[in-house]
Amino acid sequence: MRPPLRYYVLDRGDQLSVDLAEQFHTLAAQHHFEMDAESPNIVISIGGDGTMLHAFQTFIDRISDIAFVGVHTGHLGFYSDWKADELPELVELMSNSILSEDIPPRIVKYPLLELTIHKKSGTTSHIALNEFTLKGVDGTLVAQIDINDQLFEMFRGDGICISTPSGSTAYNKSLGGAMVHPTIEALQIAEIASINNRIYRTMGSPLLLPKHHHSDIYSRKDQRLLLTVDHKNFTIDDLISVSCQVSKQKISFARYRPYPFWNRVRSAFLEE
Ligand code: NAD
């Protein structure tokens, strides 16, 4: 028998998501799950992908102890396996899994992106589930990109997007980046509208860096910059550099039924 299920629910805040969260609490009480806001072992996100990004960032300090489950209340979310009307089935499967080690969930782990932002005013660290982006606020971003401490290129353009494998289907996809299966521990650097002419040149293709490689992006002019980490953004004017690498930590998802990555891609992008 597994240890008791300690859960927490985050919802998007719209009426359907709030109602479903209530329904979850009712069903969970019937199965003797414990609600635990401080140290849950399962976090249920009810809403969309943005809700899962929010749930991930909320529990960022405890992600090695948590498995996430997504319920979508709008169109199919990339991180959400369960539809609104499947909540009773989900809770039943969760309950069964406590009774026997042989019953799912299978824990699926996805790679994350680790960032260290060096500013004249100090250094901060972040972890992204989808991506990090760097953009110029007042005009062209001018930045030097190094790979493994060697100069790679001088970038001029709208910005740079560095994504995780599971984030490769989000912003990265809109930039022409490749979709990367999350068993591949890598980060992807994609350009956002680079300037390419006789004077300025960038590679122009998305780059996939393996685990243990790293990239440093140096600000190369006085410029206000917009930085995003998943759904959060902030503006700074004293950036020195950003160091990016595949994180040693991973996010865990509890799969109470199989949903292979390529089926997810197909459902999200190709099915009517
Ligand atoms: P949002 O509501 O604007 O969401 C944007 C869309 O991205 C939604 O349809 C969402 O379902 C989808 N999405 C998020 N993560 C995904 C993933 N891993 N795979 C496939 N689709 C995914 O904003 P939000 O809900 O706050 O989400 C923030 C995310 O929006 C960012 O992490 C970024 O990836 C994405 N975004 C995309 C673009 C673009 O495609 N041009 C631009 C900005 C941000």
Side-chain angles (χ1 to χ4, degrees), residues 49-50 53 75-79 130-131 166-167 169-171 174 230-231 269:
D49 289 323
L53 295 173
H75 64 92
L76 176 73
F78 212 80
Y79 291 113
N130 265 356
E131 76 284 287
S166 60
T169 50
Y171 199 172
S174 305
D230 294 337
H231 59 305
F269 297 109

Side-chain angles (χ1 to χ4, degrees), residues 70-72 78-83 86 254-255 257 259 264:
V71 178
H72 61 90
F78 212 80
Y79 291 113
S80 310
D81 302 1
W82 296 87
K83 290 189 284 195
E86 293 177 325
R255 295 270 186 263
R257 63 183 176 198
Y259 197 175
R264 196 177 292 270

